[in-house]
Amino acid sequence: MTTLSEYSYCATHKGPFRTENQDALICRPDLGIYVVADGAGGHRDGRLAANTVTEAIAALPDGLPPDQRLAMLRRAVGDAHRRLRDLAGNLGNGAVSTIAALLLEGDYFVVLWAGDSRIYLLRNGEMTQLTHDHTLVQQMVDSGSISPAEGRNHPKGNIITRAVGGADPELILDKRIGMVLPHDRFLLCSDGLLKTMDEDEIGYLLGQDGDVADALLSTALRRRARDNVSIVAVVRP
């Protein structure tokens, strides 16, 4: 998928050990919007949650002016949050989803997120994590009670502390803004990729030519990824 300013690669798979894919992704190069969502709450509810997020963003109108895109993206995610909370009240389900969203506009990027799906920037061969996980384990790492290495495969690693459809009536999305430079590469991914590959390996493959999302997914599947895996890679020429 190509625009005047960047091109993108997208890939998602349920993984060898899962019966269905509870991840969802969307690439809207026409609006410079890219999203990965990872649903939770049981098989049916997790899939519903992730799809609710991406369907809300897919419904954004074509030709949206640049000065309205961030506000409309936030509104779409907020609508998905309220819909999932309403469903939880009406049906008694617990459908929630992470979101990692990237908006590119000219020479600037905006990152929005809730949960533990991540966004990375590869610049001049150096990987930088742009998001900060909303998880119990991340809180433990931040407090110094465990090390980052101990947190990687911690038994409580699946407990997220903020999500679309979660308990709070109003969803707070963390935000990060920065400049985009020539040859920057952005990676959005669900935690299924991070459970299978370390950041050095991910950065190496992200920097290669060709369909880097497919290359990352193929590597994760060869290693028998134990979770759904979703990847969006966005490359600035």
Side-chain angles (χ1 to χ4, degrees), residues 154-176:
H154 196 279
K156 295 184 178 179
N158 63 336
I159 300 176
I160 57 176
T161 57
R162 193 186 305 178
V164 185
D168 293 332
E170 294 298 324
L171 174 66
I172 298 175
L173 294 173
D174 280 356
K175 180 174 76 169
R176 184 166 178 172

Side-chain angles (χ1 to χ4, degrees), residues 5 13 75 128 147 220 229:
S5 55
H13 196 283
R75 180 179 297 178
T128 301
S147 69
V229 180

